[in-house]
Every structure is written in C-alpha cells, then in structure tokens.
Amino acid sequence: MRINFESFSALQYRNRRLSRQTEAFKSGEKYINMEADYKKLMRFHSQEMKHMKQEPAKVHSEIITIRKYWRKIMDNQHLAWV
C-alpha cells in the first residue's frame, strides 16, 4: 500500500505540529502561557462582575433622585393651586 504525496506531507506537517506542542508542554512554556491567559480571563470576569454589582446601586440612586424631583414639582404645583 502506497501513501500518496499529499497524505504523506499532511502527516509530516501534523507530526511537526504535535512535536512542537509536546515540546512546549515539556519546557513549561505552554503552562506559563495558559496561566497568563487564565489570569487575564479572571481579571476580565472580576471587573465585569464588579460593574454588574454597581449597576443596581446606580439605578436605585437615580430612582431616588427622580422621586425627589417629582416631589418638588408636585409640591410646587400644589402650592400654585392653593
């Protein structure tokens, strides 16, 4: 059984890629990159959660401010009618 040139080349490229990948794991370089990516992802999610926690408080304070303005307007209208 003969392997044609394209199949043989594809297997050689795959073998090289897997060999490089294995070497990266053995040298520890891959683990360092994975850890850096993980830390970056955790920082992003931490910031996102912080913003999500702050948003309800901001909305609540805006509601209180609007309620105060509404009361002032209603009091002024009530005084104008009296």
Side-chain angles (χ1 to χ4, degrees):
M1 179 161 121
R2 289 189 64 150
I3 298 178
N4 62 13
F5 179 75
E6 291 85 15
S7 298
F8 185 72
S9 294
L11 289 173
Q12 282 182 324
Y13 286 127
R14 184 170 183 217
N15 188 18
R16 280 190 206 143
R17 183 174 47 90
L18 293 173
S19 295
R20 287 185 190 133
Q21 203 173 30
T22 304
E23 286 301 316
F25 274 107
K26 284 182 181 178
S27 70
E29 180 183 337
K30 183 69 174 176
Y31 292 113
I32 293 170
N33 290 339
M34 287 171 62
E35 185 177 15
D37 289 343
Y38 175 75
K39 287 180 180 179
K40 189 187 314 180
L41 186 63
M42 290 304 294
R43 277 194 306 271
F44 172 76
H45 285 298
S46 174
Q47 289 174 353
E48 194 171 294
M49 287 175 60
K50 182 180 174 184
H51 290 298
M52 291 177 83
K53 287 179 182 177
Q54 289 175 347
E55 189 174 327
K58 183 179 176 185
V59 169
H60 181 68
S61 79
E62 287 177 0
I63 289 172
I64 291 172
T65 304
I66 291 170
R67 191 179 300 148
K68 286 179 183 177
Y69 291 151
W70 182 78
R71 281 190 184 148
K72 283 182 184 179
I73 291 170
M74 294 308 288
D75 288 343
N76 289 339
Q77 285 183 354
H78 178 66
L79 292 174
W81 289 345
V82 175

